Amino acid sequence: MIAEPWHTLLIVGLSIAAVVLLVLKVKLQPFVALLLVALCTGLAFGGDPQAVIAAVRKGTGEALGFVAVVIGLGAVLGGLLEASGGVRAIALRLLGAFGEKRIPWALTAIGIIVGVPLFFDVAFIILAPLIATLAVRAERRVVFFALPVLAGLMTMHALVPPHPGPVAVAELLHTDYGLLAFYGLVCGIPAAILAGPVFARLAHGRPGWGDTLPPPMLDEGAPQTDPIGFWPALAAMLVPLGLILAAAVAGQALAAGPVKQALLFIGHPFTALILTVLCVAAWLRFRVDAPLPVISDIMTRALGPAGVMVLVVGAGAAYKEVLIESGAGQQVTAAVAAAQVSVPVFAFLLAAFVRVAQGSATVAMVTAAGLASPLIAAAGLSPGRIALVTVVIGAGATVASHVNDTGFWLVKQYLGLSEAQTFRSWTLCATIAGAAIFAVALLLWPFA
């Protein structure tokens, strides 16, 4: 749309500032603010009005085609487990087994383990009711328990196959997958610990991190059923995770055939969540003897907050798509490429700038890898150093999650935080994780 890189940087900066100002100061609803800024940003880049509208439609449609279904089904599953006391039973068992002081460490491990096979948003949506209930039972702010899980999930999402970002970068840079998995875990686990339980322990008591009120998904006015029990509730948490993990293993390990196709089908997040919701509903009806109208009412009420989440995430995706279509990412990378820096620093800065400009971690990783690959090829790096470059690209794509990142709005809505609280907790958590990954990778660089 426009060619001057500094004009691009100026427009991107002003658009981000406009979203922050409209949401934090003017108190405009984020859905409206994001759509308004998306449209104005596209026009400011000189785009044809119809092309700007098309970009908004594309971004919203692509995000909601997956996210809306997962959010809706996750909300229904969480509502059923909350109304039946299942989430409370799991929370009490965890608190009793580990003690409040060690719970964040257990949640970090859960985030890392679950984050290997599952997409960030799917895993977070499945685990969100457990996080919220732990916070309520322990009478602590929800971010104290959320950040350890989020840190584990986001580091694995950015560093470890089979996630699309690291896989795409590995293909572009011809990275050895075994070395990538090794260095991804070596760099990612310390980063998850630092950005999760350590950061939560040090910072959650400060002002501006929210209160101990339950997040919006815990609707105290919702109808209740008799207790479902610990083991059925735990199974409901683990079944969708297990099915999705089975599909991931089948996709890599099994030859083409009916068994593989069946596992891929039932292990898709849509199918896994639908089957789990149906199983929980059947258990409540036939084992707990909950009336069908009560079960239906619980499901319907659970979808209320999900509707707001879906719209905000969709608007954030529309804003992101306008920035992508404008060529802002390419202009930012051109500005970074003009600097004379070492390969890992160059790759990190490149991914970080694109991440800040357009929001998507995966897009930032692919863009940075595509532009850095000629430099990496010319440098004649060892396989270990190529794997570390892949890791630092993931680190750069992790930092500074803000208003143009759909993950920012997903975390905000699900945890019941204000925008300012999300900046102080989630954005700082993501930035600490990215910086820590980068630091560990630089320490390992001389030995790779």
Side-chain angles (χ1 to χ4, degrees):
M1 295 179 184
I2 62 175
E4 298 81 358
W6 294 111
H7 288 183
T8 300
L9 293 172
L10 178 62
I11 293 173
V12 170
L14 290 175
S15 70
I16 293 171
V19 174
V20 174
L21 179 66
L22 289 172
V23 172
L24 298 186
K25 298 297 183 182
V26 182
K27 303 300 182 183
L28 189 63
Q29 215 285 331
F31 171 67
V32 178
L34 284 164
L35 282 183
L36 175 62
V37 172
L39 293 171
C40 293
T41 301
L43 296 175
F45 275 120
D48 177 76
Q50 293 304 313
V52 174
I53 294 293
V56 170
R57 290 181 60 185
K58 179 183 177 183
T60 305
E62 288 180 352
L64 298 189
F66 179 80
V67 173
V69 177
V70 173
I71 288 178
L73 290 172
V76 170
L77 177 60
L80 289 172
L81 291 177
E82 175 60 27
S84 63
V87 179
R88 179 176 180 272
I90 295 174
L92 289 175
R93 186 68 64 92
L94 279 176
L95 286 172
F98 292 97
E100 183 184 325
K101 292 184 177 180
R102 291 190 294 272
I103 282 289
W105 297 91
L107 292 174
T108 304
I110 290 171
I112 291 171
I113 294 169
V114 171
V116 172
L118 297 190
F119 287 150
F120 172 87
D121 49 1
V122 175
F124 175 58
I125 289 167
I126 291 173
L127 295 173
L130 175 61
I131 296 168
T133 303
L134 280 171
V136 173
R137 295 299 305 172
E139 296 184 349
R140 280 186 177 269
R141 292 166 171 170
V142 69
V143 291
F144 180 74
F145 295 105
L147 289 182
V149 173
L150 291 169
L153 294 177
M154 85 170 106
T155 52
M156 296 302 101
H157 180 78
L159 301 180
V160 179
H163 292 289
V167 168
V169 175
E171 287 297 311
L172 289 170
L173 302 185
H174 306 291
T175 308
D176 180 272
Y177 280 100
L179 288 173
L180 175 58
F182 172 74
Y183 283 118
L185 291 172
V186 169
C187 297
I189 290 174
I193 292 171
L194 185 62
V198 174
F199 175 52
R201 175 71 65 180
L202 293 176
H204 86 281
R206 296 179 181 178
W209 266 52
D211 50 36
T212 57
L213 295 176
M217 67 188 67
L218 298 180
D219 184 357
E220 294 182 352
Q224 303 291 310
T225 70
D226 290 337
I228 191 175
F230 170 75
W231 291 110
L234 182 63
M237 286 280 191
L238 296 180
V239 163
L241 302 179
L243 291 176
I244 297 171
L245 176 59
V249 173
Q252 298 294 322
L254 296 183
V259 174
K260 180 176 181 178
Q261 290 301 318
L263 287 174
L264 290 176
F265 177 73
I266 65 172
H268 190 280
F270 292 0
T271 315
L273 285 168
I274 288 172
L275 291 174
T276 306
V277 166
L278 291 176
C279 289
V280 172
W283 186 277
L284 291 176
R285 177 66 189 94
F286 297 109
R287 295 301 299 268
V288 180
D289 201 27
L292 284 175
V294 171
I295 297 173
S296 177
D297 190 20
I298 293 169
M299 292 182 176
T300 302
R301 293 175 69 104
L303 287 173
V308 177
M309 298 176 200
V310 166
L311 290 175
V312 172
V313 169
Y319 176 44
K320 177 192 74 176
E321 187 64 29
V322 167
L323 293 176
I324 293 172
E325 294 288 339
S326 72
Q330 289 85 339
Q331 297 286 6
V332 170
T333 55
V336 177
Q340 298 295 319
V341 294
S342 67
V343 172
V345 175
F346 171 79
F348 175 80
L349 292 177
L350 202 58
F353 275 118
V354 180
R355 159 73 155 173
V356 172
Q358 54 75 46
S360 169
T362 301
V363 171
M365 293 177 71
V366 174
T367 303
L371 290 165
S373 57
L375 176 64
I376 293 167
L381 300 178
S382 67
R385 288 191 170 184
I386 293 175
L388 283 175
V389 171
T390 306
V391 168
V392 299
I393 287 175
T398 300
V399 302
S401 170
H402 63 96
V403 294
N404 63 356
D405 179 17
T406 54
F408 176 93
W409 299 105
L410 192 70
V411 171
K412 174 206 172 299
Q413 293 297 128
Y414 254 95
L415 299 184
L417 303 175
S418 69
E419 291 78 12
Q421 291 162 358
T422 311
F423 275 117
R424 295 186 185 103
S425 56
W426 162 247
T427 302
L428 279 176
C429 173
T431 303
I432 291 170
I437 294 167
F438 180 51
V440 176
L442 287 182
L443 290 174
L444 295 174
W445 185 261
F447 309 101

